[in-house]
Amino acid sequence: MIFKGLKEKSIKKAIQKSVLNQVQSAGDTGVVRSLAIVINYDKLVDYKPLMDIAKAINISNEDVYIIGYVNKFYKNVNYLIPVFTDNSFGMKGKIKSEEVSEFLKRDYDIVINYYTEPNIYLTLVSALIKSELKVGITSEGEVINNLVLKTDEKDFSQFNNELVKYLSILKKI
Protein backbone atom coordinates (compact mmCIF):
# COMPACT_ATOMS: atom_id res chain seq x y z
CA MET A 1 0.00 0.00 0.00
CA ILE A 2 2.86 2.37 0.81
CA PHE A 3 4.52 1.57 -2.50
CA LYS A 4 1.32 2.35 -4.41
CA GLY A 5 1.16 5.78 -2.75
CA LEU A 6 4.81 6.46 -3.53
CA LYS A 7 4.31 5.31 -7.12
CA GLU A 8 1.31 7.61 -7.60
CA LYS A 9 3.17 10.56 -6.07
CA SER A 10 6.12 10.02 -8.40
CA ILE A 11 3.73 9.74 -11.37
CA LYS A 12 2.12 13.08 -10.42
CA LYS A 13 5.58 14.67 -10.53
CA ALA A 14 6.20 13.08 -13.94
CA ILE A 15 2.89 14.54 -15.18
CA GLN A 16 3.84 18.02 -13.97
CA LYS A 17 7.25 17.76 -15.62
CA SER A 18 5.74 16.59 -18.90
CA VAL A 19 3.16 19.41 -18.91
CA LEU A 20 5.88 22.02 -18.33
CA ASN A 21 8.04 20.61 -21.14
CA GLN A 22 5.15 20.54 -23.62
CA VAL A 23 4.05 24.10 -22.87
CA GLN A 24 7.49 25.28 -23.87
CA SER A 25 7.65 23.17 -27.05
CA ALA A 26 4.09 23.63 -28.30
CA GLY A 27 4.01 24.78 -31.90
CA ASP A 28 1.46 25.48 -34.61
CA THR A 29 1.64 23.27 -37.68
CA GLY A 30 -1.73 24.20 -39.19
CA VAL A 31 -4.27 21.67 -40.45
CA VAL A 32 -5.02 18.51 -38.46
CA ARG A 33 -3.85 15.32 -40.20
CA SER A 34 -3.51 12.82 -37.34
CA LEU A 35 -5.60 12.13 -34.29
CA ALA A 36 -4.98 10.28 -31.04
CA ILE A 37 -7.85 9.35 -28.73
CA VAL A 38 -7.39 8.31 -25.10
CA ILE A 39 -10.38 6.59 -23.47
CA ASN A 40 -11.32 4.71 -20.35
CA TYR A 41 -12.12 1.40 -22.04
CA ASP A 42 -13.98 0.11 -18.99
CA LYS A 43 -16.50 2.97 -19.29
CA LEU A 44 -16.54 3.47 -23.06
CA VAL A 45 -16.23 0.15 -24.87
CA ASP A 46 -18.06 1.46 -27.94
CA TYR A 47 -15.59 3.99 -29.29
CA LYS A 48 -16.97 3.82 -32.86
CA PRO A 49 -18.82 7.19 -32.55
CA LEU A 50 -15.41 8.77 -31.98
CA MET A 51 -14.46 7.60 -35.47
CA ASP A 52 -17.32 9.77 -36.78
CA ILE A 53 -15.61 12.71 -35.12
CA ALA A 54 -12.47 11.88 -37.09
CA LYS A 55 -14.54 11.87 -40.27
CA ALA A 56 -16.06 15.25 -39.38
CA ILE A 57 -12.62 16.83 -39.06
CA ASN A 58 -11.39 15.20 -42.29
CA ILE A 59 -9.02 12.62 -40.84
CA SER A 60 -8.81 9.21 -42.49
CA ASN A 61 -9.16 6.07 -40.36
CA GLU A 62 -5.49 5.17 -40.96
CA ASP A 63 -4.44 8.36 -39.15
CA VAL A 64 -6.58 7.75 -36.06
CA TYR A 65 -4.91 6.05 -33.11
CA ILE A 66 -6.88 4.98 -30.04
CA ILE A 67 -5.61 3.70 -26.72
CA GLY A 68 -7.64 2.76 -23.65
CA TYR A 69 -7.24 2.21 -19.96
CA VAL A 70 -8.60 -0.92 -18.30
CA ASN A 71 -8.66 -1.50 -14.57
CA LYS A 72 -7.71 -5.15 -15.02
CA PHE A 73 -6.25 -6.81 -18.11
CA TYR A 74 -7.74 -10.18 -19.01
CA LYS A 75 -5.68 -12.35 -21.34
CA ASN A 76 -8.69 -14.17 -22.78
CA VAL A 77 -10.47 -10.93 -23.79
CA ASN A 78 -9.99 -9.63 -27.31
CA TYR A 79 -9.46 -5.90 -26.89
CA LEU A 80 -10.03 -4.09 -30.17
CA ILE A 81 -7.53 -1.35 -29.36
CA PRO A 82 -4.26 -1.23 -27.42
CA VAL A 83 -4.99 -1.06 -23.69
CA PHE A 84 -2.95 -0.36 -20.58
CA THR A 85 -3.38 -0.88 -16.84
CA ASP A 86 -1.79 0.40 -13.66
CA ASN A 87 0.91 -2.23 -14.13
CA SER A 88 1.95 -0.68 -17.46
CA PHE A 89 3.89 1.96 -15.52
CA GLY A 90 6.60 1.91 -12.93
CA MET A 91 7.99 4.52 -10.58
CA LYS A 92 8.26 8.07 -11.94
CA GLY A 93 5.92 7.13 -14.78
CA LYS A 94 8.40 4.78 -16.41
CA ILE A 95 6.62 2.96 -19.23
CA LYS A 96 6.72 -0.83 -18.96
CA SER A 97 4.23 -1.65 -21.74
CA GLU A 98 5.42 -1.90 -25.32
CA GLU A 99 1.97 -0.94 -26.66
CA VAL A 100 1.96 2.30 -24.66
CA SER A 101 5.54 3.01 -25.67
CA GLU A 102 4.71 2.56 -29.37
CA PHE A 103 1.65 4.78 -29.02
CA LEU A 104 3.67 7.56 -27.37
CA LYS A 105 6.47 7.49 -29.96
CA ARG A 106 4.30 9.15 -32.61
CA ASP A 107 3.55 12.85 -32.93
CA TYR A 108 -0.12 13.75 -33.31
CA ASP A 109 -1.76 16.93 -34.54
CA ILE A 110 -4.61 16.61 -32.05
CA VAL A 111 -5.35 14.45 -29.02
CA ILE A 112 -8.82 13.85 -27.65
CA ASN A 113 -8.83 12.85 -23.98
CA TYR A 114 -12.31 11.35 -23.87
CA TYR A 115 -12.78 10.39 -20.24
CA THR A 116 -14.38 12.08 -17.25
CA GLU A 117 -13.37 10.11 -14.17
CA PRO A 118 -10.02 11.21 -12.73
CA ASN A 119 -7.39 8.51 -13.18
CA ILE A 120 -3.69 9.13 -12.73
CA TYR A 121 -2.69 6.63 -15.44
CA LEU A 122 -5.02 8.14 -18.05
CA THR A 123 -3.68 11.57 -17.08
CA LEU A 124 -0.10 10.35 -17.43
CA VAL A 125 -0.67 8.96 -20.93
CA SER A 126 -2.47 12.18 -21.91
CA ALA A 127 0.40 14.27 -20.59
CA LEU A 128 3.08 12.20 -22.34
CA ILE A 129 1.49 12.32 -25.80
CA LYS A 130 3.32 14.68 -28.15
CA SER A 131 0.72 16.97 -29.67
CA GLU A 132 0.22 20.65 -30.27
CA LEU A 133 -3.49 20.53 -29.36
CA LYS A 134 -5.12 18.46 -26.63
CA VAL A 135 -8.87 18.43 -26.19
CA GLY A 136 -10.69 17.07 -23.15
CA ILE A 137 -14.24 16.81 -21.84
CA THR A 138 -13.65 17.44 -18.15
CA SER A 139 -12.46 20.53 -16.34
CA GLU A 140 -10.19 18.40 -14.16
CA GLY A 141 -7.93 17.96 -17.20
CA GLU A 142 -7.39 21.69 -17.73
CA VAL A 143 -3.74 21.35 -16.76
CA ILE A 144 -3.13 18.93 -19.64
CA ASN A 145 -5.71 20.01 -22.20
CA ASN A 146 -5.49 23.17 -24.30
CA LEU A 147 -9.21 23.04 -24.99
CA VAL A 148 -11.93 21.68 -22.69
CA LEU A 149 -15.37 21.01 -24.17
CA LYS A 150 -17.68 20.40 -21.22
CA THR A 151 -20.09 17.89 -22.72
CA ASP A 152 -21.67 14.70 -21.47
CA GLU A 153 -19.48 11.65 -22.10
CA LYS A 154 -22.38 9.86 -23.83
CA ASP A 155 -23.32 12.82 -26.08
CA PHE A 156 -20.99 12.24 -29.02
CA SER A 157 -22.90 14.48 -31.41
CA GLN A 158 -22.62 17.53 -29.15
CA PHE A 159 -18.91 16.90 -28.65
CA ASN A 160 -18.52 16.45 -32.41
CA ASN A 161 -20.31 19.74 -33.15
CA GLU A 162 -18.36 21.68 -30.53
CA LEU A 163 -15.03 20.25 -31.68
CA VAL A 164 -15.71 21.08 -35.33
CA LYS A 165 -16.77 24.58 -34.34
CA TYR A 166 -13.62 25.29 -32.32
CA LEU A 167 -11.27 23.68 -34.82
CA SER A 168 -12.81 25.87 -37.52
CA ILE A 169 -12.22 28.94 -35.39
CA LEU A 170 -8.63 27.85 -34.84
CA LYS A 171 -8.29 27.19 -38.61
CA LYS A 172 -7.33 23.56 -38.06
CA ILE A 173 -9.91 22.16 -40.51
Side-chain angles (χ1 to χ4, degrees), residues 117-131:
E117 286 186 16
N119 180 302
I120 194 164
Y121 301 101
L122 279 165
T123 305
L124 177 62
V125 169
S126 299
L128 293 175
I129 294 175
K130 294 175 268 183
S131 174

Side-chain angles (χ1 to χ4, degrees), residues 108-125:
Y108 304 98
D109 293 323
I110 185 171
V111 175
I112 297 175
N113 297 310
Y114 207 83
Y115 54 89
T116 53
E117 286 186 16
N119 180 302
I120 194 164
Y121 301 101
L122 279 165
T123 305
L124 177 62
V125 169

Side-chain angles (χ1 to χ4, degrees), residues 42-59:
D42 290 334
K43 302 283 182 196
L44 185 72
V45 176
D46 184 20
Y47 59 88
K48 303 255 187 295
L50 293 172
M51 298 304 286
D52 294 336
I53 293 169
K55 241 185 268 177
I57 57 177
N58 301 322
I59 298 177

